[in-house]
Amino acid sequence: MNYSLNEFEDAQRYLSERLLEEDDDNQLRVIARYYMDEGCTRELAREKVCEFVCMCGESASLNYWSDKIDLAIKRAKKTPLIEADYISVSKAELNRIATLDGVRLQRLAFTLLCLSKYKGMRKENNDHWICVPDKDIFAMANIKVSLRKQASLYRTLMLSGFIRLPEDNNSISMQILFADDNADADSEIKVFKMRNLGYQYLKYLGGPYFECSNCGVTVKHRNDPDGKGRPQKYCDECAALIQAQQKTEFVMRLRAGRKVALLV
Amino acid sequence: MYDLQSCFDEDSEEFKTLEYRICCGQLIQQDTIDKIKGIVAKPMPKTWYDWHSLSALPDDRREFYRRILANKKPYFMKYIYPTSARDYSSYLKQHSRNCMVKFGYNVEELMDKAENELSEAELWFLQKFNNALPLQRGNCIINKICKIFEDNFDSVKERRPSNEFDITVLKTDAKYTEAEFKAIKKLCKQYMEVIGKQYRRLRVTREERLDFSQKIQQTYDSFSDDCIKVCPNDEVRCNLIIDIAYGNETGKDFAWRTSGEEIVQQLLRKFGTVISFPVRNDDGDIEYGGDHFEMFALNVED
C-alpha cells in the first residue's frame, strides 16, 4: 500500500498522467475521494472513476476493475484525503527511542511512531492506534527478519512499554505509547516521505544515506560518499529513468544539429 | 454435532440432548429433501445453531444452550471446503503472531503445555482462542482420523511431476514482440481473476450450470476479443497464449478454451491432416481400464 502524505496532489497527478497501477489498492480510493470532495455524489464519482480507468489504456478492462471500483467508492466515503507537508518527530521521542537496545529495534520503534502520526492525520482522536499489516511495517522499517523474530521484536517493545496490544487476540492493531502530540514544537526530524523510514532514522544517526533529488526517497550510498568522484544524487530507479531521458535529449539535439548542418 | 458431542461425558445432559438433536437433524434433512413432494418440512430450530437467537431464551437455559450450540463445522471439513481451510489458517496465523508477542511462543506450543503450568493470562488467551475458533476441534471419530493423517503426512512433501511435455509441438514459427507478450499476459491475469470470482460466486449463489457455463464462455470470448485488439495475427496470438498458459501462469485449460481451434489447425497443418486415436477393440494391443483398444487413423481432410 502507498502511504502518501499528500493524497490530494497524488490524485491530481494520477488524473493528469493517466496512471493506473494494478498493485496500488489505494489509488482508486484517492481518486474517488478527490471527486467527492469536489462535490460529486457517489454515483457520479463512480462514473468518473470508471472513465478514468477506461482512459488509462486499451487493455484496462472494466470487467476486471468493477469490484475494485465499488470497494474504492465505499472506502472513499469514510476516509478523507491527507494533505500534509511532513511528519514531525520530536527530540524527546527520539531520546526515548534511543533507550532501546539495538538499532534494528530503534528503527522499528521509529517506523511505528511515524505510522501512528500518519494515522492520526486521517482520524482525529485516534489515540495513536495503528492497524497496518506487519509486512508493510517491516518493509518501511527496512528490516528483513523471520516471522518469529518479528514477533520477538514486538514483544521487546511491548515489555519496554513502547506499544500495547488490544484485548482482541485476532487483531493486528497496536497502540503506540510513546508518541508526543506536541512534536511540532520541538521537531528534530521532519519525515517528508513515508518510505524507507528505517533508512531515514539511520541517516539521522549519521549513516551513509541520502535523499534522492528526484523522488525524495532516502537510500543508501552505493559507494563511499567521502571517496573520490561526485556524490550519488539519485536512487537506482530514478537514475535509470534520468539516464534514459538524458540519452533521448542528447539524440534529439544531435539530430537537430545535423538537420541544421544539412540545411546550411 | 458429533464433534461437539465428543466434548461431553456420555452420562451428561449435554450429551443426551445432542444425541436427540442428531436424530432430529437426520429427519429434518430428509424432510427438507422431500419438501418438493409436498411434505411440510419443519426447519431446524435456530437456537440449535445460531448464536444470536439465544438471547430470546430464558436466563436459566441460555448457558446450557450456549454450551451445545452447533455453530461451527468440524475440523476435518477444512479439507472439504477451501474457505474453511483459509479462515482457519488465517485465524491460526493471526493468533500465533499475537501469542508470540504476548507470551513468547506460538499457539501450538501454548496448547502443548500442561494446564497447571499456564498463567492466568495464558489460560484466558487459550479460552478465547478456543471459543472463537472457526472450526470445532472436538474428538469425534473423523477428527481423530484426520489428526492421525496429519501427524503421519506432516513430513511428507508433495512432489510435483516434472513437465516433460514439449510445447513447441503446439506452436508455429511465428514470433511475437515483448510488448505483445506483456500486454496479453496482463490480460490473461485480469481475466483469470474475473473467472476465479465467477467460480467462487457459483459456489455461493448455486445458479444453474447451463447459465453459468454460458457466462464463463462469454468471459472467454470477451478475452479473445481483447486479445485480437492487441495482436490481430492468429498464429502469433496462439503462440503467445500457449507460452503464457503452459508457463503455469494461467493453466493449460485457458489456452485450449481461448485458442483451441487455432491450436488444432496448427497441429493439422504441421503433422498432416491424419489424426490417430484409440478405439475399443477386443483384439487390440492397448490395454486400459480392463478394456482393449487399437489405434485408428482418420484423415480429417476427407
Side-chain angles (χ1 to χ4, degrees):
Chain A
M1 191 176 147
N2 184 17
Y3 294 87
S4 170
L5 283 175
N6 199 329
E7 290 176 328
F8 184 79
E9 270 182 22
D10 285 346
Q12 288 180 325
R13 187 169 54 86
Y14 295 144
L15 290 169
S16 64
E17 291 175 18
R18 292 188 190 172
L19 217 63
L20 183 62
E21 285 164 35
E22 265 190 63
D23 299 336
D24 189 0
D25 292 335
N26 208 31
Q27 187 186 2
L28 291 180
R29 177 196 66 81
V30 164
I31 294 168
R33 184 68 197 207
Y34 173 79
Y35 282 126
M36 283 180 187
D37 287 348
E38 286 206 325
C40 293
T41 58
R42 275 181 78 154
E43 290 73 27
L44 191 56
R46 196 190 187 284
E47 271 179 40
K48 286 191 176 265
V49 171
C50 288
E51 270 173 33
F52 166 75
V53 167
C54 292
M55 274 195 305
C56 283
E58 282 176 11
S59 59
S61 154
L62 273 182
N63 213 355
Y64 169 75
W65 287 97
S66 175
D67 285 349
K68 294 193 178 205
I69 293 171
D70 289 335
L71 189 62
I73 299 290
K74 194 173 157 185
R75 281 187 187 156
K77 189 91 176 103
K78 294 182 205 171
T79 45
L81 291 181
I82 291 179
E83 277 182 75
D85 293 323
Y86 56 83
I87 288 175
S88 290
V89 178
S90 69
K91 183 94 181 130
E93 286 164 340
L94 288 168
N95 287 341
R96 184 81 205 276
I97 290 172
T99 59
L100 288 166
D101 193 19
V103 181
R104 191 160 56 180
L105 207 53
Q106 291 173 13
R107 269 159 39 206
L108 179 60
F110 179 77
T111 304
L112 291 172
L113 177 68
C114 293
L115 276 169
S116 75
K117 291 179 185 238
Y118 179 83
K119 292 288 182 182
M121 284 180 190
R122 208 185 281 292
K123 190 178 173 187
E124 279 180 29
N125 305 322
N126 192 36
D127 217 11
H128 306 292
W129 279 95
I130 62 169
C131 184
V132 177
D134 289 342
K135 66 178 173 89
D136 284 354
I137 294 175
F138 282 88
M140 277 196 270
N142 304 109
I143 298 173
K144 281 183 188 166
V145 290
S146 64
L147 291 174
R148 199 169 255 271
K149 187 67 188 167
Q150 285 178 12
S152 160
L153 290 171
Y154 280 138
R155 182 167 166 71
T156 313
L157 286 177
M158 191 188 75
L159 294 172
S160 310
F162 279 72
I163 61 171
R164 185 166 80 93
L165 293 190
E167 299 288 319
D168 180 9
N169 294 322
N170 204 23
S171 173
I172 57 168
S173 309
M174 59 183 86
Q175 187 184 23
I176 311 308
L177 300 173
F178 63 103
D180 179 8
D181 289 325
N182 300 317
D184 283 333
D186 179 28
S187 176
E188 181 77 3
I189 298 180
K190 285 183 181 163
V191 174
F192 293 95
K193 288 273 175 192
M194 290 293 289
R195 276 177 64 187
N196 289 356
L197 293 169
Y199 287 166
Q200 291 186 47
Y201 181 74
L202 290 173
K203 179 172 176 264
Y204 166 74
L205 291 182
Y209 298 88
F210 70 100
E211 268 143 37
C212 173
S213 307
N214 191 45
C215 61
V217 165
T218 306
V219 285
K220 193 172 180 180
H221 277 287
R222 240 181 282 120
N223 305 312
D224 179 13
D226 300 323
K228 287 183 187 173
R230 278 180 292 178
Q232 194 177 344
K233 215 170 148 192
Y234 302 110
C235 64
D236 290 341
E237 283 170 19
C238 294
L241 271 169
I242 286 166
Q243 196 182 24
Q245 226 170 22
Q246 286 173 342
K247 208 170 180 179
T248 312
E249 282 165 15
F250 168 74
V251 168
M252 299 291 281
R253 278 198 305 271
L254 197 67
R255 285 180 187 168
R258 279 185 192 159
K259 218 174 182 178
V260 167
L262 276 173
L263 286 171
V264 163
Chain B
M1 285 189 201
Y2 282 108
D3 53 319
L4 187 57
Q5 195 187 36
S6 64
C7 299
F8 301 105
D9 285 333
E10 279 189 34
D11 301 323
S12 62
E13 195 191 343
E14 286 92 346
F15 189 95
K16 289 172 187 161
T17 312
L18 281 167
E19 186 74 38
Y20 167 74
R21 285 184 183 185
I22 288 166
C23 295
C24 291
Q26 289 166 356
L27 173 65
I28 290 166
Q29 191 180 39
Q30 198 55 50
D31 281 349
T32 310
I33 292 165
D34 293 336
K35 207 159 57 170
I36 200 157
K37 296 177 194 167
I39 288 169
V40 174
K42 222 170 133 181
M44 186 176 277
K46 268 195 160 175
T47 49
W48 290 10
Y49 60 87
D50 180 38
W51 181 274
H52 299 289
S53 60
L54 295 183
S55 55
L57 291 171
D59 290 341
D60 54 342
R61 293 303 285 166
R62 197 177 301 146
E63 183 53 33
F64 176 76
Y65 271 65
R66 190 198 60 75
R67 278 202 302 276
I68 57 171
L69 188 73
N71 59 344
K72 298 177 196 173
K73 291 192 176 81
Y75 176 75
F76 68 86
M77 290 273 182
K78 75 176 207 177
Y79 293 103
I80 301 170
Y81 299 106
T83 42
S84 297
R86 199 179 56 224
D87 291 344
Y88 183 78
S89 68
S90 69
Y91 180 85
L92 197 64
K93 188 178 168 188
Q94 199 45 54
H95 275 72
S96 279
R97 178 259 199 195
N98 285 341
C99 189
M100 276 197 282
V101 175
K102 287 183 176 175
F103 309 117
Y105 27 78
N106 65 27
V107 174
E108 270 126 10
E109 286 162 6
L110 190 67
M111 288 197 288
D112 286 340
K113 281 174 98 178
E115 209 171 301
N116 53 6
E117 289 173 20
L118 295 171
S119 68
E120 210 179 292
E122 286 167 349
L123 269 170
W124 183 83
F125 181 96
L126 266 184
Q127 195 188 351
K128 282 210 95 176
F129 172 77
N130 286 323
N131 284 346
L133 261 177
L135 298 173
Q136 185 71 261
R137 282 176 74 133
N139 274 332
C140 65
I141 295 172
I142 307 292
N143 273 359
K144 282 186 194 171
I145 293 171
C146 184
K147 190 87 180 46
I148 292 169
F149 270 94
E150 281 180 348
D151 289 342
N152 279 289
F153 284 94
D154 236 353
S155 55
V156 174
K157 297 267 180 218
E158 190 191 326
R159 216 181 294 161
R160 282 195 174 185
S162 58
N163 198 4
E164 290 174 2
F165 177 69
D166 181 16
I167 60 168
T168 54
V169 155
L170 302 173
K171 291 164 58 174
T172 61
D173 295 329
K175 299 276 180 245
Y176 50 79
T177 62
E178 203 180 317
E180 284 170 337
F181 180 79
K182 280 184 178 166
I184 300 278
K185 192 173 173 181
K186 192 176 171 183
L187 276 174
C188 279
K189 198 177 160 195
Q190 287 176 356
Y191 273 90
M192 283 312 292
E193 279 200 36
V194 170
I195 287 164
K197 272 187 204 156
Q198 287 175 336
Y199 272 102
R200 284 194 290 275
R201 228 171 265 154
L202 171 70
R203 276 200 283 271
V204 174
T205 62
R206 297 181 190 272
E207 66 184 284
E208 291 295 325
R209 279 274 162 190
L210 183 61
D211 294 336
F212 177 73
S213 31
Q214 281 173 351
K215 209 184 266 184
I216 287 283
Q217 194 51 48
Q218 275 168 11
T219 310
Y220 279 117
D221 292 339
S222 174
F223 166 74
S224 298
D225 293 337
D226 284 343
C227 282
I228 289 171
K229 285 181 206 166
V230 171
C231 181
N233 187 314
D234 290 340
E235 271 188 41
V236 170
R237 195 172 64 248
C238 183
N239 285 351
L240 259 171
I241 290 173
I242 290 169
D243 277 341
I244 292 168
Y246 279 80
N248 289 325
E249 195 64 44
T250 59
K252 299 162 192 123
D253 181 54
F254 196 83
W256 288 96
R257 286 252 204 177
T258 50
S259 308
E261 273 206 43
E262 183 58 37
I263 294 173
V264 168
Q265 292 299 329
Q266 276 177 188
L267 283 170
L268 288 173
R269 280 194 292 268
K270 220 172 178 178
F271 297 105
T273 50
V274 174
I275 56 171
S276 306
F277 52 91
V279 168
R280 197 190 284 186
N281 186 340
D282 289 337
D283 300 323
D285 51 349
I286 303 166
E287 197 183 327
Y288 180 78
D291 287 324
H292 288 264
F293 298 84
E294 69 163 358
M295 291 306 284
F296 184 79
L298 175 71
N299 193 337
V300 292
E301 212 173 32
D302 301 335

